[in-house]
């Protein structure tokens, strides 16, 4: 009992100190240990695909401990999104959501660009020749098709593991739908972004028009991009808030993305995944509703052993990477 009371006093004193100590804002990520050595580690891991992840349009590899690397993997087709892509993304991220060993995901494009967007040649039959005996039935089937395609990117948002998009070269059409469903976006200096749909005679219908205004918070700019299909270059994307950092090239960007993923993966998975769930809930609800949801959420999550482990590591001045958290 005395030991328990002493531990309780220690925890209380630590929390008091944390609440009253000066706050130093900012995140200091060291890329050195995750740089070339991490890239070498990722290259070695890439020799084999992650278990239970075998796809035609994607390649999923264990980049580092607790980190999966999802690549759009049709480089000869500029990673254009063909029929199989739309179902494989759903399968992939549903599996990742249930993968208790995974704590963070980096998604990138193989080859010279992130993605050219929808593969119009492969998708033409579904989009231009929908099935049905009359207008009502054709419309019903088209709505079901669009809803399935929307889930392709919504599944990224629903996945409780943080997803980092690492973009180089073109990110066109459906690529913008994809990255706006991710939690964090990094890009290389050669990246550009296009809401391309108006140039092929349709309105973007799988996420861009719904998520992009909330991502950058500038409706005028969103309207301009969506009405004109003009290119947004990397520096403008950074200034608008679409991406949080710009890097000189793809290699440096991937090093930084893996470094960030490793930093996230070192934290309590209960804390990180709870944070993602509540950030997304708060985005779509009032402050009062979100606080009520948070209270209901944390009345169980505050009972995690991760709090004691994290506080103890901090009190003992240990690196958080040395703490072993249970799988989630």
């Amino acid at each position: 009992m005395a030991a328990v009371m002493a531990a309780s006093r220690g925890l209380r004193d630590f929390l008091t100190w944390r609440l009253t100590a000066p706050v130093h804002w900012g995140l200091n990520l060291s890329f050195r240990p995750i740089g070339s050595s991490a890239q070498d580690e990722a290259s070695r891991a890439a020799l084999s695909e992650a278990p239970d992840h075998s796809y035609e349009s994607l390649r999923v590899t264990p980049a580092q401990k607790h980190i999966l690397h999802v690549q759009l993997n049709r480089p000869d087709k500029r990673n254009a999104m063909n029929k199989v892509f739309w179902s494989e993304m759903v399968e992939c991220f549903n599996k990742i959501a249930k993968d208790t060993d995974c704590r963070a995901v980096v998604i990138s494009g193989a080859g010279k660009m992130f993605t050219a967007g929808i593969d119009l040649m492969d998708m033409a039959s579904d989009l231009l020749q929908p099935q049905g005996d009359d207008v009502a039935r054709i419309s019903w089937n088209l709505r079901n098709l669009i809803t399935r395609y929307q889930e392709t990117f919504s599944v990224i948002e629903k996945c409780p593991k943080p997803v980092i998009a690492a973009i180089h070269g073109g990110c066109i059409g459906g690529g913008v739908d994809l990255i706006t469903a991710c939690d964090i976006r990094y890009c290389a200096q050669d990246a550009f972004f296009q809401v391309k749909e108006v140039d092929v005679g349709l309105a973007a219908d799988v996420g861009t028009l719904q998520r992009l205004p909330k991502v950058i918070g500038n409706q005028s700019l969103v309207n301009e991009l969506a009405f004109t299909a003009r290119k947004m270059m990397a520096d403008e994307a950074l200034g608008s808030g679409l991406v949080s950092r710009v890097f000189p090239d793809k290699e440096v960007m991937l090093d930084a993305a893996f470094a960030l993923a490793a930093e996230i993966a070192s934290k309590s998975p209960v804390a990180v995944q709870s944070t993602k769930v509540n950030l997304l809930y708060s985005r779509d609800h009032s402050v009062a509703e979100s606080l009520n949801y948070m209270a209901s959420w944390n009345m169980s999550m505050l009972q995690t052993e991760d709090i004691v482990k994290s506080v103890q590591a901090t009190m003992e001045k240990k690196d958080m990477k040395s703490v072993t958290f249970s799988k989630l």
Side-chain angles (χ1 to χ4, degrees):
M1 179 62 71
V4 173
M5 293 179 65
S8 177
R9 285 196 300 272
L11 176 59
R12 181 193 62 205
D13 293 343
F14 170 76
L15 292 175
T16 301
W17 171 77
R18 287 296 294 161
L19 290 170
T20 57
V23 178
H24 301 282
W25 297 107
L27 177 63
N28 182 20
L29 293 178
S30 174
F31 297 149
R32 183 190 57 77
I34 311 296
S36 59
S37 62
Q39 198 74 338
D40 292 342
E41 181 183 345
S43 297
R44 289 193 297 272
L47 294 176
S48 60
E49 292 181 336
D52 202 30
H53 286 282
S54 180
Y55 310 106
E56 293 180 27
S57 65
L58 305 172
R59 181 170 175 80
V60 182
T61 53
Q64 299 171 37
K65 186 178 181 181
H66 303 309
I67 301 169
L68 288 177
H69 183 196
V70 177
Q71 285 183 290
L72 309 186
N73 194 35
R74 300 183 72 214
D76 56 324
K77 299 292 185 180
R78 301 191 302 167
N79 296 321
M81 300 169 176
N82 60 352
K83 287 181 183 178
V84 71
F85 165 85
W86 299 89
S87 59
E88 286 187 339
M89 279 287 287
V90 175
E91 180 184 352
C92 174
F93 275 90
N94 278 336
K95 288 179 179 177
I96 291 174
K98 297 175 183 176
D99 184 348
T100 58
D101 193 54
C102 177
R103 298 183 186 174
V105 180
V106 174
I107 185 165
S108 68
K112 296 182 178 180
M113 67 188 304
F114 186 73
T115 178
I118 191 170
D119 188 334
L120 289 172
M121 297 300 293
D122 190 68
M123 303 289 293
S125 60
D126 283 351
L127 298 177
L128 303 180
Q129 297 176 326
Q131 301 299 308
D133 294 333
D134 58 21
V135 171
R137 287 167 177 82
I138 292 173
S139 300
W140 193 277
N141 291 332
L142 268 177
R143 188 182 192 283
N144 287 338
L145 183 69
I146 295 167
T147 301
R148 290 203 308 272
Y149 288 169
Q150 289 173 343
E151 183 64 15
T152 296
F153 303 129
S154 293
V155 74
I156 299 174
E157 191 172 81
K158 293 175 184 177
C159 177
K161 321 300 170 73
V163 180
I164 302 163
I167 305 124
H168 76 289
C171 178
I172 301 168
V176 180
D177 295 290
L178 190 160
I179 66 166
T180 52
C182 296
D183 302 294
I184 298 167
R185 289 162 293 276
Y186 281 179
C187 79
Q189 190 65 56
D190 69 348
F192 65 88
F193 306 84
Q194 273 187 289
V195 184
K196 188 69 171 174
E197 284 80 357
V198 294
D199 276 353
V200 292
L202 58 90
D205 56 4
V206 290
T208 290
L209 302 186
Q210 292 69 39
R211 294 189 177 99
L212 186 59
K214 296 182 178 182
V215 168
I216 67 176
N218 184 333
Q219 190 66 52
S220 177
L221 179 56
V222 170
N223 293 349
E224 178 187 335
L225 295 170
F227 294 160
T228 66
R230 75 164 177 84
K231 292 181 180 179
M232 171 186 273
M233 308 309 290
D235 289 339
E236 185 183 4
L238 177 64
S240 71
L242 178 59
V243 300
S244 49
R245 299 192 67 178
V246 177
F247 297 89
D249 55 44
K250 180 182 179 181
E251 183 178 356
V252 175
M253 173 193 64
L254 283 174
D255 278 346
F258 287 129
L260 178 62
E263 184 74 16
I264 292 170
S266 73
K267 313 297 184 184
S268 156
V270 172
V272 171
Q273 294 179 42
S274 293
T275 297
K276 175 169 178 175
V277 169
N278 279 276
L279 282 171
L280 288 169
Y281 186 92
S282 297
R283 181 195 66 185
D284 299 329
H285 295 80
S286 70
V287 172
E289 290 170 326
S290 301
L291 286 171
N292 184 59
Y293 187 83
M294 185 79 250
S296 298
W297 184 275
N298 256 9
M299 70 183 185
S300 56
M301 295 300 117
L302 285 176
Q303 300 179 63
T304 177
E305 63 179 9
D306 291 12
I307 294 176
V308 175
K309 289 182 177 181
S310 299
V311 170
Q312 183 177 2
T314 304
M315 292 176 69
E316 296 174 358
K317 294 180 169 48
K318 290 182 178 178
D319 188 334
M320 199 60 68
K321 293 182 176 65
S322 68
V323 180
T324 301
F325 295 108
S326 299
K327 294 182 177 183
L328 181 65

